[in-house]
Amino acid sequence: MNIKNEVIMKLVTISDLMSKKLITIDPDERVMDIIDLFEKYKVHHLPVKDKKSKEIIGMVSDKDVTSFLNIMRLMSSKNYSLKVEDIMTTPIFAYYEDVGIDQAAKAMLDNKIHAILVVSKEKEEYIGIITSTDLLKYLSEHKQYHVQ
């Protein structure tokens, strides 16, 4: 009797790993006013949402803010009224929820980014965010994953 051991591997998608609570900020917020949000929500990226159109127009990372603060210290300037829109990254990257983590990781590497917004196919709205930290955490905890 010949018994085959089959391993069935499920494609891991970005919606499997994404953070489901999307914390957004306004482009006209002062940088100094958002510093505590990173610690409060334990995040490294904050999507920037336009008040009028409700569209995501950029992304601010804790590194963007840290870089800004370091530059300000070096310049000995007191210009702490700089707004989020002055330091946010554009364009933003977004993928549908069923995209595999391999494709998301490749996009992050190719574009030198660390976060991708996740969009619901059904509702065509943002439902989460996947970061390079999410991918690394998953890979460190799992020995098997499907790569196409």
Side-chain angles (χ1 to χ4, degrees):
M1 183 158 127
N2 189 359
I3 299 176
K4 251 185 166 174
N5 287 336
E6 285 190 36
V7 176
I8 299 174
M9 297 172 74
K10 174 190 177 276
L11 174 66
V12 179
T13 64
I14 58 178
S15 65
D16 294 327
L17 304 183
M18 71 180 184
S19 300
K20 293 177 176 67
K21 187 167 186 182
L22 201 55
I23 310 299
T24 62
I25 54 175
D26 296 326
D28 60 350
E29 285 189 65
R30 290 179 346 117
V31 172
M32 296 304 292
D33 295 335
I34 68 161
I35 292 171
D36 293 337
L37 295 178
F38 294 104
E39 182 62 31
K40 178 181 179 181
Y41 293 107
K42 305 289 186 228
V43 298
H44 297 285
H45 300 85
L46 294 167
V48 182
K49 184 188 276 188
D50 184 73
K51 284 182 183 179
K52 291 179 184 175
S53 70
K54 304 293 185 202
E55 289 294 316
I56 302 288
I57 58 171
M59 185 89 70
V60 174
S61 72
D62 57 348
K63 287 185 182 181
D64 295 329
V65 173
T66 302
S67 295
F68 158 71
L69 292 175
N70 288 335
I71 289 168
M72 295 306 291
R73 282 189 202 109
L74 287 173
M75 295 174 63
S76 298
S77 174
K78 300 289 184 200
N79 186 14
Y80 292 121
S81 62
L82 194 69
K83 295 182 180 177
V84 166
E85 65 188 341
D86 297 324
I87 67 167
M88 71 183 183
T89 300
T90 59
I92 54 115
F93 284 78
Y95 279 141
Y96 285 116
E97 61 196 321
D98 60 351
V99 165
I101 61 172
D102 53 330
Q103 186 175 344
K106 182 163 178 20
M108 287 180 190
L109 287 170
D110 290 349
N111 296 287
K112 296 182 172 100
I113 59 171
H114 295 279
I116 296 174
L117 292 168
V118 182
V119 180
S120 163
K121 272 191 165 179
E122 187 178 309
K123 296 182 180 179
E124 289 288 328
E125 63 185 32
Y126 297 108
I127 58 171
I129 185 170
I130 180 118
T131 68
S132 54
T133 302
D134 296 325
L135 294 174
L136 289 170
K137 182 179 177 190
Y138 176 80
L139 290 175
S140 72
E141 293 172 353
H142 295 82
K143 295 191 192 300
Q144 294 181 338
Y145 56 94
H146 175 72
V147 179
Q148 296 179 351

